[in-house]
Amino acid sequence: MTSYVAAIDQGTTSTRTMIFDHSGRVVAVDQREHEQIFPQAGWVEHDPEEVWSNTRTVTGGALAKADLTSADIVAVGITNQRETTVVWDRKTGKPVYNAIVWQDTRTDKIVNELGALGGGQERYREKTGLPLATYFSGPKIKWILDNVDGARQRAEAGDLIFGNMDTWVLWNMTGGTDGGLHVTDPTNASRTLLMDLDTLSWDSGIAEDMGIPLSMLPEIRSSSEVYGKVREKGALGGVPIAGILGDQQAATFGQACLSPGEAKNTYGTGNFVLLNTGTEKVLSDNGLLTTVCYKIGENATVYALEGSIAVTGSLVQWLRDNLGMIGTAAEIEANAKTVDDNGGAYFVPAFSGLFAPYWRSDARGAIVGLTRFVNKGHLARAVLEATAFQTREVIDAMDADSGVPLKALKVDGGMVVNELLMQFQADILGVPVIRPVVNETTALGAAYAAGLAVGFWASEDDIRSNWAKDKQWDPSMDDSRRESEYKNWKKAVTKTFDWVDED
């Protein structure tokens, strides 16, 4: 009998379930979007209960599309939008507030106050690999405890628990208030600002600084092991849940970047470049994050350097939904192809500040270089080029930190179907850009982690052999134009600084 592995991919804009065969090919997928909630400028929220409802729906939907039952599935893995923070009551299962999304900047004041205790933005970097920034979960937990009536008292009494979306989904899948598992993995824990990168345990001193009771925090287990089974009433009832990887680490795993020096870039709501540094924890001098790449069972922890870019695919959505310049995301490529270049226009999408390598929460978006010559096509092209320029900045920082120049870039995610963007990415980097046959590697990585834990795949060599190239773009831009374009981009970025005053 043929068996399969399922993966739940709980992302920033949607949740989907994908089912894979032993060769890593997609057998079925079902997907549902959830509401993006913007209570005020800089605030971004999701309804955790809507996300859980969608998770149940798409899991049943994927099985139905493939005409399978839970008996055909040997394991399920979970991958998720990282840093997005949920606090809920362990007795009722009800969130005390909406999930605060990774892009949210409301914790800026909390971050500044923590930095003022000493060390500034670098206060926790040596232990956590992260700068003090609004991006991460810890300050979000503190905001909820400080601002939701009675939350701090309930947390101190042991009634409230925290999780990123992996933990929220796992807890509900394994029974919720009826024995649900309160567990996370090191890739997600390493994005909270609360985990010691060396020991893979919660740091009590940092938690105390943020006023977060340790009783709220989930148990940290490896990225690939059997945590428990899906509750019997679920569509996957009785199936082992055996893998958890934060979305970008999952994509790195799915891209078979399993050796030091291998890197991938995921083009989604934001962009995330990860470079596998092996079992060595490399602290960045150039604005990158040091993070756990994965930990497979009892094997040694593998680390990565990461460049996180807040706004890439969501800029295309903004052009569609806020400005109405395009009817669908796919239309942007046709618009951009009506012109030969950007007409001198550069779009820096610092909607929620700038992430790597700047970490400027005071920045806001800007379109610069406008003249009467610039038209709709030039702006469409500038939107796409912004993604490639931001990626170049991160790759340059990785080269500086690691001392290993990039030879090629593996790419995945929704935007890699955009041929114009992929060619410009190769041009502005000056190295080949390679797209795999399965470009949605986030879910695939979670499936691999789960399948390895139950022996469906024997070893990481199976993952390497499954990876296959679909298309490669080679650079065709001359060096002088490449550096001129990049210089103009860097100048445009400086125009976004110091927009938000501290008060």
Side-chain angles (χ1 to χ4, degrees), residues 213-229:
L214 288 174
S215 61
M216 292 184 71
L217 305 180
E219 179 187 0
I220 302 171
R221 291 168 66 175
S222 82
S223 309
S224 178
E225 62 176 86
V226 176
Y227 313 108
K229 293 184 177 181

Side-chain angles (χ1 to χ4, degrees), residues 48 56 82 90 103 161 184 208 215 246 274 304 337 349 351-352 362 381 419 423 426 442 444 457 459:
R56 297 171 68 184
R82 305 166 305 170
R90 69 167 80 237
Q103 301 150 308
I161 52 179
T184 190
E208 185 177 354
S215 61
L274 264 74
K337 282 181 175 178
F351 293 159
S352 53
D362 62 339
R381 197 172 185 105
E419 304 259 339
Q423 182 59 56
T442 303
L444 181 58
W457 288 289
S459 71

